[in-house]
Amino acid sequence: MKLWGGRFSGKQDEFMRKFNDSFSFDQRLYAVDIQGSIAYANALSNAGLLGKDELANIIKGLLCIKKEFDQGVFEPGFEDEDIHTAIERRLTELIGEAAGKLHTGRSRNDQVALDLRLYAIIVIEQVHDALTALQTAIIKKAEVNLEIIMPGYTHLQPAQPILFSHWLMSYFWMFDRDRDRLTDCKRRTAVSPLGAGALAGNPFLIDRAQLAEELGMPSVTLNSMDAVSDRDFVAELLFTIALISIHISRLAEDVIIYSNPSFGYLSIDEMYTTGSSLMPQKRNPDSLELARGKTGRAISSLVNLLVILKGLPSTYNKDLQEDKEPLFDSADTILLTLPVITGVVDTMQPHPDLMAANLDETMLATDMADYLVEQGLPFRQAHQIVGQVVRLAEERQVGFSTLPLPDLQRISAYFGPDVKEIFDFQRSVSKRSGIGGTAPETVVQQIAVAKQKINDLPK
Amino acid sequence: MKLWGGRFSGKQDEFMRKFNDSFSFDQRLYAVDIQGSIAYANALSNAGLLGKDELANIIKGLLCIKKEFDQGVFEPGFEDEDIHTAIERRLTELIGEAAGKLHTGRSRNDQVALDLRLYAIIVIEQVHDALTALQTAIIKKAEVNLEIIMPGYTHLQPAQPILFSHWLMSYFWMFDRDRDRLTDCKRRTAVSPLGAGALAGNPFLIDRAQLAEELGMPSVTLNSMDAVSDRDFVAELLFTIALISIHISRLAEDVIIYSNPSFGYLSIDEMYTTGSSLMPQKRNPDSLELARGKTGRAISSLVNLLVILKGLPSTYNKDLQEDKEPLFDSADTILLTLPVITGVVDTMQPHPDLMAANLDETMLATDMADYLVEQGLPFRQAHQIVGQVVRLAEERQVGFSTLPLPDLQRISAYFGPDVKEIFDFQRSVSKRSGIGGTAPETVVQQIAVAKQKINDLPK
Amino acid sequence: MKLWGGRFSGKQDEFMRKFNDSFSFDQRLYAVDIQGSIAYANALSNAGLLGKDELANIIKGLLCIKKEFDQGVFEPGFEDEDIHTAIERRLTELIGEAAGKLHTGRSRNDQVALDLRLYAIIVIEQVHDALTALQTAIIKKAEVNLEIIMPGYTHLQPAQPILFSHWLMSYFWMFDRDRDRLTDCKRRTAVSPLGAGALAGNPFLIDRAQLAEELGMPSVTLNSMDAVSDRDFVAELLFTIALISIHISRLAEDVIIYSNPSFGYLSIDEMYTTGSSLMPQKRNPDSLELARGKTGRAISSLVNLLVILKGLPSTYNKDLQEDKEPLFDSADTILLTLPVITGVVDTMQPHPDLMAANLDETMLATDMADYLVEQGLPFRQAHQIVGQVVRLAEERQVGFSTLPLPDLQRISAYFGPDVKEIFDFQRSVSKRSGIGGTAPETVVQQIAVAKQKINDLPK
Amino acid sequence: MKLWGGRFSGKQDEFMRKFNDSFSFDQRLYAVDIQGSIAYANALSNAGLLGKDELANIIKGLLCIKKEFDQGVFEPGFEDEDIHTAIERRLTELIGEAAGKLHTGRSRNDQVALDLRLYAIIVIEQVHDALTALQTAIIKKAEVNLEIIMPGYTHLQPAQPILFSHWLMSYFWMFDRDRDRLTDCKRRTAVSPLGAGALAGNPFLIDRAQLAEELGMPSVTLNSMDAVSDRDFVAELLFTIALISIHISRLAEDVIIYSNPSFGYLSIDEMYTTGSSLMPQKRNPDSLELARGKTGRAISSLVNLLVILKGLPSTYNKDLQEDKEPLFDSADTILLTLPVITGVVDTMQPHPDLMAANLDETMLATDMADYLVEQGLPFRQAHQIVGQVVRLAEERQVGFSTLPLPDLQRISAYFGPDVKEIFDFQRSVSKRSGIGGTAPETVVQQIAVAKQKINDLPK
């Protein structure tokens, strides 16, 4: 039984059936579909379109179907083209023709729009929680390794000494922005389209606002034609997930490089590595490589939906059936990736000795320039002078700190004996004590703010 | 003079120079760069790192440079690799070595991050205003054509009668969500990174919060390593523009189809059409086709940045120099597209007669099913029955409304003589009077809400 | 049993296991994996590394495993992280430790590279055949409807009369280029990487060329490091499929528009349409809308792989595990879409009467300009003059052909009484008789060339 | 003067003009446009539509315009919406109304399709040559550093020793496939669309085959409707450039990592690095970072065009005007990137000592397993055993080669005293002597084949 059979003679091409049907993937909407149908049944009843007994039967039938899905015993029929058809078909089997009343004034167009919004809200909440768990792991790891100094890089070239905890916390804020974006996205998702009908609105006097409230949605769509084809909320969620994935890919890149033995700054726990089928000594950071690779997937799911939407005529077009798989794939992928990365962060071991071994004195060149600034030189000249000092040390193939004072003074008279004080990585780090800087006490404050943000979340 | 010359011997490959330099495109940041530099000079002065006279000279010099750019007389030097270098070079020419003090504790990394944020805020505000203008045109056109009935489509097949004004207003809400997203994006953009230095923070005691306030930014970044490489705000803006572009592409598709003579629902004003070099009779909707085509551009600018960011190591990497052109191109394109589309909407003429001519009675099939529901039939059966009625009319090749009552009653005993009342497009439209429906009084309310939203905007 | 367990203590995070394992999707490579393993076993035997009995046992075991998969009875083990592990584990169960000899000198890196190439070749051949079937349907439909005249559009505005068969054949050539690209792609795919080892090559004296020959591959990779990470062939195939999908989307767009009742040029067979859950009269071209929507998917699979590859370090990285799902999804999707579209083309019905009804005389404006050219006017002036004629008819709201000769002559003295001859759509079409033009005899030739191309394909 | 003005009253919105006009970017097509026009003029003359003098005048005028462009003195008119209009306008100024004859039977639709093909062919040839130069630099650098051993990585973890020359040559083959793809793309590009008219073909008896030949194109399009909207060749070229860019991004990633001082395998010449505005010691690999970042651009240009093409109705639509900028940007970018990367490769210095210092004995674990295989153990068991050996060394924190034989023999009786021979990186490398392996004499052969390929190119 198709929902729309009346006008049709009934033949369907076998390829077409497979091409058209979405039950194989949209069945995961069963719980939200049933949630929406119960709310709609209540609305119909309030509007006098369903008798009390009919309402009770419909709800009982729907809950029974939900249980069948929950327990994995729902039996799909050959003609169940989608989850909506499947549930209506089964409801008819269970309660008879009264099932057909449930769809009074409702179209699959507003029904599926609602389902997808309800589903997206669940995804948003789950991703939000998985992000919070990762942020918590970051804070914890940063706190217990607060004062380890490591080489900081720009352009992957040694730049300035920084705290390991500062490096790690830099990711906290990326994920914090992601959570912020999720919250905005949720607000725009929690708007009920139910009552938009196929495109023109609902001719029966159902109370859309009350319906929305029952579904936990603060507001309703204000134009039925827009309501049935708006997929902005899916695009926005896919974009948000893509950015999360990109942030993870950057963390992965750092950790992959830092755990290469020539760096050796970090060990990834064996649990998050795998070996080689050929090379017995191998322990590869597969978890992080996969997480990095899966960024392609997240970006492409977003591209997929944007391409679908481009140039689509008004209201519902069947192209929109293709909105679900990218959402499901992006959601599943990020909800698997986040706990893995959380585990990696939670279990990874920093190696302060190897970090220290890679601290090069030339990373203090900026401190030397700052020293000259304090002696009164404009920064740009100080920079030029220190550049010459670095070159000199390089030409002589000696350490930057070992150049005798007279040699320095030949380059600039501003150098005094106290210039030696700058050759201290601890001092360099401590001086960056403005808000957001890498000085230990500043990082302590940073972590305190971060903890507060997490603690302030509604439990 | 390169800013970083001290350590270098000075040769540079000619291709490399062209490859590396960004002045040709980043010079448009001059005003925000100077705005940021003036604020930073004040901060340095407050921190005791600039004397009063030095401060005055620096500000005077910077304003002079701004004027040179404003008037188009700024002369770039051969070694001006970017806008920051160009301005510093020129400032040195104008005020001498004190210019070199401006860069105390500041890196191009935090400087360019600030510039881009200031620039993005301007773009956000301009796009916001251009959207508002388009929304205003939509409201105006809907109001003066409030009660025109036209065929409504789903799947580009006749579905139900709707109001032309309802169709048009469906776009209002898309652009309204876009404005909402812009507002969220702006909040995340207006965060000052100045003071993050190259990656480790600022060792001089500048007041970052006050600096941010001077720049109109309510908050500051809390991790210097994140601050210099965060381009989330660019990605978010590019995404928001891509969605705007997609909404435009859908409107364009509708109008292109509706202005084809087989439809004839709309005429596009000649100003927004062009002709053919070969075919003298042609008047093509080039404005709308271009707008639709430019969606590729908006989506691809987003993809560009996301690909750049994927897998990038921590902090600043030169890859990030590539963040500007997609932003500039997306901003320029949407800021040109929006007024064109506003003009198209403002000047297009609906043709109620041709709309009416294309209203087919079968678009009232749902009303017939609703009629049967009112007689007590469950909707699903009503749907099946009307399907058979449609088939019968089709087989007989007669109009849907001309089927004699007895024939209808042979299909279902629920049909009575009053079924004839449903053959009234006006009635069909009027019945969809739930919130967001296409009934005239409901559309009036919809427009009222829309007008209020626009009127409530801060002027 | 992991293949790489020796060095590991054995714990693995549960999320990590799920994240890392690929058996759920790469099991579809079983047949090509076994094909590759049999060839490799032969090569090992030829190199004296496997005894005759061992070889026989291995091959027997592998064929048994293949049968288990073919029959759907293969039982995966909990530790089967991928198809290669699963088969090696099972082979060990079946034939004992000799199974461990099969992997002498072979890594999963060269093994999976081979598998994917063998699989891609099968996909290429299947897509090629599905394209040929579609092209054959196009030719057939064009031949039986050879001389129907329809309005030709540019910018979706009436342009010039054309033959329906010419319109349809325009898609033949798009798909022909696609087949050509597939052929090139196949040549670059059929290059054997087996023998590249993990990255450094194979230390045992296996004959790579003979191995390749046994696998039906004309050549071997020449650099082992490149061999294990080259996924160009996947990218190229994904691109080719994306273009096919785009060509289908254009055909779909045309047919969707032409089957809207305001055009009515084409009926889509009921088998390829579906109805509405709400509106009983609906018959929607879902097949074509889905085909158009799935273009997003094809483009995004390509984007997915390109993003994965961007910035990846040399040789194999686990990110590459993500290469399979986009390939599988793209292949499955296009191999389902093509037969559906073939069915749509095969069964669609053109309506010459409605095409004729939409032929507007102004579509002959170019013919009028050509007429003036034949009288000796430069084309550009002829174009200007006819433009004025069109305007005049428009102002008078009369048919283009009904303007009296004197009125025409007032615009240009070049008009003579024979200008009336141009008001003949048949004549207009027939005049475009240069190669590739829409004249009936030219289209006959076009179809003849097309048929020859298909007939010349190796059966 | 617009080409299409006759029917129009003449007003045009200012935004619309700017939105619609393409002269600012398509003027770079001037040379190919003129080349096409000269060929078309000859064809018109051969068909008797141009007198000898007219032909001579047209060609003389066109060559004069070409010279004006070549010398940068061409003065665009306010109404020059595109390069075609500009040239026709100027030609009319130069030779009078005969200029209007040039466009007899030709539309901008077939004209621009031709121009773009001619331009694409030039791009293909230039990119091809730039690739050849890069490949030549690779060969040269590999040859002079043939036998340097370096650590080979998979998953960025130490894998097996390889030759530096082998690593470098791995990129040769990527670029070789790119050249191969360019060649295929060129074949599909060199097909003349001239004579397709606006969409229906050419009504004048011009000889399309001869026209194509004059333009250096071996064949002509066979369907005029396809001819005017086929942009497959642009998509294919954009894809090919995107893959080149990805290959460069991988090389860049390797070199960036290898030139980090913790590795120190390579020095990038100062010419291809830049410094920091803040940190005086810095020398950053900007050339490579930019090249990696520009991959986003190449991928996005491809996405741009694919999105434009998706769902476009038949024949020419103005959306296609957007095809040019992605092509121009991709071409310009890759033609600047390739010489820079060629320069980087040409001038970079390998550091064999630091490579040697990072060779770890565990990279010989596979050789130890191979040793056991030679003693008769199945490889999989050998792998397990060596895994235990590696663990033992790790637990004892001693070098892998220093484990006493008895300890090894306690793990496996297959170990004999000759196992010590495997601790020789040179030997390990030399054993990989199968085709494509890293053994020195094999790499010599690889280079010989590569040189032959380059030498065989037509000069």
Side-chain angles (χ1 to χ4, degrees), chain B residues 90-131:
Chain B
R90 181 70 183 130
L91 188 62
T92 308
E93 288 170 10
L94 289 171
I95 69 163
E97 296 209 335
K101 291 203 169 178
L102 179 55
H103 294 269
T104 308
R106 186 172 67 161
S107 162
R108 276 186 298 187
N109 295 355
D110 55 346
Q111 184 177 2
V112 74
L114 174 70
D115 290 3
L116 208 56
R117 284 175 183 266
L118 290 171
Y119 189 84
I121 290 170
I122 295 169
V123 170
I124 289 170
E125 289 169 352
Q126 290 174 338
V127 176
H128 184 277
D129 291 351
L131 277 171

Side-chain angles (χ1 to χ4, degrees), chain C residues 7 88 97 315 381 394, chain D residues 7 97 153 380-381 394:
Chain C
R7 190 197 172 179
E88 182 168 344
E97 297 210 334
T315 78
Q381 284 148 275
E394 208 172 39
Chain D
R7 189 195 173 181
E97 297 209 334
Y153 298 93
R380 186 57 59 220
Q381 283 149 277
E394 207 172 38

Side-chain angles (χ1 to χ4, degrees), chain C residues 74-345:
Chain C
F74 181 88
E75 288 195 16
F78 179 74
E79 295 231 317
D80 290 354
E81 58 180 325
D82 56 27
I83 182 65
H84 323 296
T85 306
I87 290 175
E88 182 168 344
R89 189 259 313 150
R90 181 70 183 131
L91 188 62
T92 308
E93 288 169 11
L94 289 172
I95 68 162
E97 297 210 334
K101 291 202 168 179
L102 178 55
H103 294 270
T104 308
R106 185 172 68 160
S107 161
R108 277 186 297 187
N109 295 355
D110 55 346
Q111 184 177 2
V112 74
L114 174 70
D115 290 4
L116 209 56
R117 284 175 183 266
L118 290 171
Y119 189 84
I121 290 170
I122 295 170
V123 170
I124 290 170
E125 289 170 352
Q126 290 174 337
V127 176
H128 184 279
D129 290 351
L131 277 172
T132 309
L134 173 52
Q135 289 180 297
T136 304
I138 288 173
I139 289 176
K140 202 175 119 203
K141 183 65 68 179
E143 275 191 309
V144 299
N145 295 286
L146 193 71
E147 304 219 1
I148 302 173
I149 297 180
M150 72 182 285
Y153 299 93
T154 61
H155 306 257
L156 208 62
Q157 288 290 321
Q160 294 183 323
I162 51 160
L163 291 192
F164 167 75
S165 54
H166 191 55
W167 166 75
L168 194 51
M169 283 301 295
S170 70
Y171 288 98
F172 178 92
W173 301 105
M174 300 184 204
F175 298 123
D176 217 56
R177 286 191 296 275
D178 293 328
R179 281 202 304 108
D180 202 33
R181 271 184 284 270
L182 283 173
T183 303
D184 288 339
C185 179
K186 185 175 169 184
R187 173 167 44 82
R188 277 184 284 269
T189 304
V191 182
S192 170
L194 204 52
L199 80 158
N202 193 307
F204 302 101
L205 298 171
I206 60 160
D207 185 336
R208 291 190 63 210
Q210 190 183 320
L211 227 178
E213 203 188 324
E214 183 176 342
L215 293 163
M217 290 174 150
S219 56
V220 300
T221 59
L222 294 178
N223 182 295
S224 56
M225 296 181 75
D226 174 41
V228 294
S229 78
D230 170 23
R231 294 298 183 273
D232 288 8
F233 65 99
V234 184
E236 197 173 337
L237 180 49
L238 290 175
F239 167 72
T240 306
I241 291 174
L243 262 193
I244 296 171
S245 189
I246 284 170
H247 293 148
I248 291 172
S249 80
R250 299 189 69 175
L251 176 57
E253 178 83 0
D254 274 1
V255 178
I256 289 169
I257 292 173
Y258 293 166
S259 65
N260 172 291
S262 295
F263 281 82
Y265 300 170
L266 288 170
S267 296
I268 303 165
D269 192 276
E270 195 190 287
M271 282 201 298
Y272 298 101
T273 63
T274 61
S276 157
S277 65
L278 184 73
M279 298 172 289
Q281 88 283 11
K282 285 287 243 160
R283 201 178 280 163
N284 298 321
D286 294 49
S287 51
L288 295 159
E289 295 168 90
L290 274 172
R292 184 178 58 189
K294 282 177 191 292
T295 310
R297 205 159 171 144
I299 293 174
S300 77
S301 288
L302 170 63
V303 169
N304 188 347
L305 185 66
L306 297 182
V307 174
I308 290 168
L309 295 176
K310 176 249 167 176
L312 215 56
S314 248
T315 78
Y316 188 82
N317 299 272
K318 188 64 165 250
D319 315 53
L320 291 178
Q321 179 165 303
E322 291 286 310
D323 59 1
K324 278 168 218 71
E325 284 165 291
L327 174 59
F328 295 165
D329 190 70
S330 253
D332 292 350
T333 302
I334 204 70
L335 287 170
L336 190 52
T337 307
L338 281 166
V340 169
I341 297 302
T342 302
V344 169
V345 169

Side-chain angles (χ1 to χ4, degrees), chain D residues 122-135:
Chain D
I122 294 170
V123 170
I124 289 170
E125 289 170 351
Q126 290 174 337
V127 176
H128 184 278
D129 290 351
L131 278 171
T132 309
L134 173 52
Q135 289 180 296

